[in-house]
Amino acid sequence: MNICQSCGMPIDSDDLKGTNEDGSLNQEYCTYCFHDGKFTHDFTMDQMIFHSVSLIDRMNVGTERKIDREEAIRKMRGYFPKLKRWRKME
């Protein structure tokens, strides 16, 4: 399974893949981060982390172990610099 190289979300179906400028599916970025060959948000890595953590309540639905915001931010700060988009920018 691929993961989005911008937000870290699993990309487990074509519906979740972003699109290139020519309309073809992008294999590295999800549809929420990349559309028509461009990033959907002009975020810094920290802005992406805080945007992602704003969705934490949705991510916790149906899970036994809830992740709190501080834990999520700490994990993302360790993980995001390894993603392609942030390796070259931050």
Side-chain angles (χ1 to χ4, degrees), residues 15-66:
D15 292 345
L16 293 176
K17 291 179 182 175
T19 55
N20 297 312
E21 191 172 359
D22 65 3
S24 63
L25 294 177
N26 186 283
Q27 303 300 313
E28 296 180 315
Y29 299 106
C30 75
T31 189
Y32 303 110
C33 291
F34 201 75
H35 185 72
D36 291 336
K38 297 180 223 164
F39 288 107
T40 56
H41 302 315
D42 188 23
F43 284 158
T44 65
M45 186 179 75
D46 279 339
Q47 288 170 324
M48 177 59 82
I49 288 169
F50 284 102
H51 172 72
S52 297
V53 85
S54 74
L55 306 171
I56 199 76
D57 292 333
R58 282 194 236 169
M59 292 188 288
N60 279 330
V61 171
T63 62
E64 285 185 34
R65 184 177 177 276
K66 309 294 185 204

